[in-house]
Amino acid sequence: MDVPPEDHVGNQETQPLLDEGIGMYSEDMDRDNEPEYITEYGDGTESAQRAQRPNGATVLCRVCDVPVSLEGRNQQHVVKCHSCDEATPIRPAPPGKKYVRCQRDPGTAIRAPTGSCRVKCNHCNEIFLFNTLTNALANCPHCKKYSTVGNFARRRALLFFVLAATVAVLAVILTMLTNASTFNKIYMVPILIGLYGCALYTAYKSFNYYTCRKSEIIGPVRKEKMVCVLGIEGSANKIGVGIIRDGEVLSNPRATFHAPPGEGFRPTETAQHHRQQIVRLVGEAIREAKIEDPEKEIDGIAYTKGPGMGAPLQVGAIVARTLSLTWKKPIIPVNHCVGHIEMGRLITGADNPVVLYVSGGNTQVISYTNKRYRIFGETIDIAVGNCLDRFARVLKLPNAPSPGYNIEQLAKNGKKLMELPYTVKGMDVSLSGILSLIEKKAPKLIETGEFTPEDLCFSLQETVFAMLIEITERAMAHTASRELLIVGGVGCNLRLQEMAAAMCAERNAHLFATDERFCIDNGAMIARAGELMLASGMKFDLRKTTITQRYRTDQVHVEWRD
């Protein structure tokens, strides 16, 4: 139904699309000197690719007018406000996307009044903002059609029906009481015509309101309470504690256990390192977050349940249970892989991307559907990070800052490509054979001078990453996705990001990636997943807050997503 705009029809809706050229940055940021973004490969140096926006750069939220920090958000088209959970565009929409802005004026961000909610249009299924406290029909800015929110239309239909009935009865009574002499008086004819016309008009309005479609309220713009969660990550050689409040990272300290060169980290030694560092990190995280009373300010304790190494996982779980009992706070066991995904979505602003999750213990291509993160493809033996780390031991590369990073630096100077097995099996990859071959041949090839260590690192990276990009592109084609998110420790590799960016450019898609602060295991990612789980109403019995070394991504019921 199309109802013409009248006085009672509100204009609380948003204007579609961000106008190009609108200044969205705060005054203390110079857009002309804005550094390169991390996904713009081929332009600028490596340092420019990794550059961040200036410290303190902010943008005003389009809904609640709260400053939103741009730190660490290098590639997204929108930034998410930690106060109202709404996204604010900071540049024109990518192909096939559209943004909406709050209220009437597309040139300024106007505060949404109390009662503003996210509404799903019954006509076109698009989501827009509407103030439910106004006595008005909602006008969708996408399809330009009107619908009702709540019971407003039914109440208005009843009101017009009563009014129509009253006017009709009055007109009939006047007609019956009018005698012939009075009826002949000229002024009674227009009065009766007006009454009957008013009755017909109000009856028509009642029918229109009664048949008006009803749009669904998705949720309020503002939350009643800001959720603050402390997260503990300790599934491998890194122990981290992070605190997040409504999507804002307040603190994220961590410590890394480095094994001697040529050796890997063992569970017992790693767990001992975590026990030595965890108390200090908890205190440091609380101080950095400027939390004075954790018992009152923190709403939940999240920890990594798995997957990971058993002994290090135990350290995080024990500390989390201790804090939960001490502060009388709910405890949330988090899947490590889901933590990576949700942190990547938060930092980059990706909506529903295909996820390439690459780390020391996991290699998966993932997409979300029907309350699960579905695994489209994965390694059938060892993870890509483990493959790189083990080859770094062959070359006696140091473990600091990480073996994979050191291989990446050597590979930049490689000039000769060694042919290696290219093992893609359907949507899965196999990496153990490649590693066995290059481990066996590397010492002799280096000794004879046929290949340098740089050439071998280059060859291994190119082959393995090409396999990963191939299965990722297949997943994107299957899901018709235009977004790719890379998470996990190996996701920091610039060469992998460069290859992914080239693939996305050919598909007219967009690549999202983060830097070392959030790619590598950290406590904030566990806090973020725990925050979403806690806000969605998920509760866990303390007796069931255990650990498991095998905990697949698709085992998690994603209650917090539509």
Side-chain angles (χ1 to χ4, degrees):
M1 172 191 123
D2 291 337
V3 180
E6 301 183 26
D7 292 340
H8 66 274
V9 178
N11 190 18
Q12 301 295 329
E13 290 71 43
T14 59
Q15 298 290 338
L17 291 176
L18 170 67
D19 291 348
E20 193 166 1
I22 294 177
M24 290 294 295
Y25 295 97
S26 58
E27 294 180 357
D28 60 337
M29 180 166 182
D30 184 3
R31 296 188 64 179
D32 295 332
N33 297 325
E34 185 179 354
E36 299 284 343
Y37 297 101
I38 200 167
T39 56
E40 295 179 357
Y41 304 101
D43 295 326
T45 62
E46 176 186 344
S47 59
Q49 292 170 348
R50 292 188 181 273
Q52 305 295 316
R53 290 188 176 98
N55 292 331
T58 60
V59 60
L60 292 180
C61 174
R62 68 184 174 89
V63 175
C64 64
D65 213 23
V66 170
V68 181
S69 174
L70 298 178
E71 183 180 1
R73 303 178 178 186
N74 283 5
Q75 304 115 264
Q76 62 262 50
H77 289 258
V78 298
V79 290
K80 196 172 186 179
C81 176
H82 65 273
S83 297
C84 66
D85 216 22
E86 285 293 326
T88 295
I90 60 174
R91 65 177 63 116
K97 296 283 185 179
K98 53 185 172 182
Y99 300 138
V100 294
R101 290 180 58 77
C102 181
Q103 302 292 323
R104 300 175 178 83
D105 185 4
T108 58
I110 300 177
R111 184 186 302 273
T114 303
S116 293
C117 288
R118 297 186 295 275
V119 175
K120 185 177 182 180
C121 178
N122 185 272
H123 298 276
C124 64
N125 291 327
E126 292 284 355
I127 296 177
F128 61 97
L129 294 180
F130 178 72
N131 190 346
T132 57
L133 298 183
T134 59
N135 291 323
L137 292 177
N139 181 16
C140 176
H142 306 284
C143 65
K144 307 299 182 184
K145 294 183 178 180
Y146 289 88
S147 59
T148 182
V149 177
N151 295 319
F152 165 75
R154 293 301 173 89
R155 293 196 304 268
R156 191 55 61 93
L158 179 61
L159 175 63
F160 275 101
F161 177 78
V162 172
L163 182 60
T166 302
V167 174
V169 170
L170 178 60
V172 171
I173 292 175
L174 285 178
T175 302
M176 295 174 63
L177 294 180
T178 302
N179 54 37
S181 59
T182 307
F183 189 80
N184 289 332
K185 293 182 179 179
I186 192 169
Y187 62 84
M188 287 301 298
V189 176
I191 290 177
L192 291 175
I193 291 176
L195 287 175
Y196 282 114
C198 182
L200 289 174
Y201 175 76
T202 51
Y204 168 76
K205 294 292 292 182
S206 176
F207 176 78
N208 271 0
Y209 276 112
Y210 184 78
T211 58
C212 184
R213 290 189 181 186
K214 184 176 182 180
S215 291
E216 177 187 359
I217 297 178
I218 302 299
V221 170
R222 284 188 173 275
K223 296 179 180 178
E224 293 294 329
K225 183 178 182 295
M226 298 176 72
V227 179
C228 183
V229 175
L230 182 146
I232 301 175
E233 156 60 24
S235 60
N237 68 324
K238 293 176 178 59
I239 181 71
V241 179
I243 298 178
I244 280 188
R245 180 186 290 127
D246 270 28
E248 180 184 6
V249 180
L250 302 182
S251 59
N252 195 24
R254 67 183 167 209
T256 303
F257 171 69
H258 295 296
E263 298 181 13
F265 51 89
R266 301 178 179 87
T268 303
E269 299 166 353
T270 306
Q272 183 179 1
H273 167 268
H274 290 2
R275 285 192 293 269
Q276 294 171 350
Q277 299 292 330
I278 185 64
V279 175
R280 175 185 66 83
L281 290 174
V282 170
E284 185 178 340
I286 292 175
R287 288 191 297 272
E288 285 185 13
K290 298 180 181 179
I291 292 179
E292 298 179 357
D293 190 348
E295 190 170 352
K296 293 182 179 179
E297 297 182 50
I298 292 178
D299 300 304
I301 309 296
Y303 75 97
T304 302
K305 179 176 181 176
M309 301 169 64
L313 283 172
Q314 277 187 335
V315 177
I318 291 173
V319 173
R321 286 196 289 266
T322 302
L323 295 176
S324 174
L325 291 172
T326 303
W327 294 339
K328 298 179 176 60
K329 299 297 179 182
I331 186 170
I332 309 111
V334 173
N335 180 285
H336 177 85
C337 313
V338 172
H340 271 296
I341 296 171
E342 294 302 342
M343 195 66 191
R345 291 180 62 232
L346 171 68
I347 295 300
T348 65
D351 180 26
N352 187 26
V354 167
V355 179
L356 175 58
Y357 172 35
V358 281
S359 68
N362 299 275
T363 300
Q364 297 173 345
V365 177
I366 305 165
S367 181
Y368 172 80
T369 180
N370 197 23
K371 297 292 184 180
R372 299 274 179 179
Y373 282 114
R374 312 289 178 174
I375 300 175
F376 276 70
E378 58 187 325
T379 175
I380 60 176
D381 36 51
I382 63 174
V384 60
N386 191 14
C387 177
L388 297 174
D389 290 352
R390 287 172 59 178
F391 184 61
R393 297 178 207 167
V394 174
L395 300 180
K396 301 296 182 181
L397 298 179
N399 288 319
S402 70
Y405 176 79
N406 295 326
I407 282 186
E408 179 186 358
Q409 303 312 308
L410 285 180
K412 293 177 180 179
N413 298 320
K415 296 179 175 60
K416 191 175 180 181
L417 181 66
M418 175 185 176
E419 186 174 349
L420 295 172
Y422 189 91
T423 316
V424 175
K425 301 184 177 182
M427 284 295 294
D428 298 328
V429 296
S430 175
L431 302 173
S432 59
I434 301 173
L435 176 64
S436 298
L437 177 67
I438 198 169
E439 277 183 332
K440 181 179 179 180
K441 292 187 174 182
K444 186 175 181 180
L445 292 173
I446 295 174
E447 183 180 352
T448 60
E450 185 177 355
F451 288 92
T452 66
E454 289 81 0
D455 294 333
L456 296 179
C457 291
F458 169 72
S459 302
L460 181 61
Q461 268 199 175
E462 292 298 306
T463 305
V464 171
F465 291 169
M467 293 161 56
L468 297 176
I469 297 303
E470 178 183 333
I471 62 173
T472 302
E473 185 173 14
R474 289 184 190 168
M476 295 180 69
H478 180 79
T479 60
S481 175
R482 291 182 176 273
E483 294 180 334
L484 172 61
L485 172 64
I486 301 181
V487 298
V490 183
C492 298
N493 190 296
L494 285 179
R495 178 54 184 159
L496 176 61
Q497 292 182 8
E498 183 180 359
M499 295 171 70
M503 181 269 288
C504 288
E506 293 176 357
R507 300 186 57 83
N508 196 23
H510 188 72
L511 171 66
F512 296 93
T514 59
D515 55 29
E516 292 90 343
R517 293 172 301 168
F518 303 113
C519 259
I520 299 173
D521 293 351
N522 60 92
M525 72 182 198
I526 303 302
R528 173 57 179 172
E531 176 193 21
L532 294 172
M533 296 167 73
L534 183 64
S536 67
M538 299 178 72
K539 297 181 180 180
F540 302 90
D541 188 342
L542 183 66
R543 292 171 294 183
K544 296 183 179 180
T545 54
T546 56
I547 61 168
T548 174
Q549 292 179 265
R550 292 178 173 84
Y551 189 15
R552 286 180 61 83
T553 313
D554 50 9
Q555 288 181 259
V556 180
H557 183 72
V558 186
E559 184 65 34
W560 55 93
R561 291 192 63 178
D562 295 332

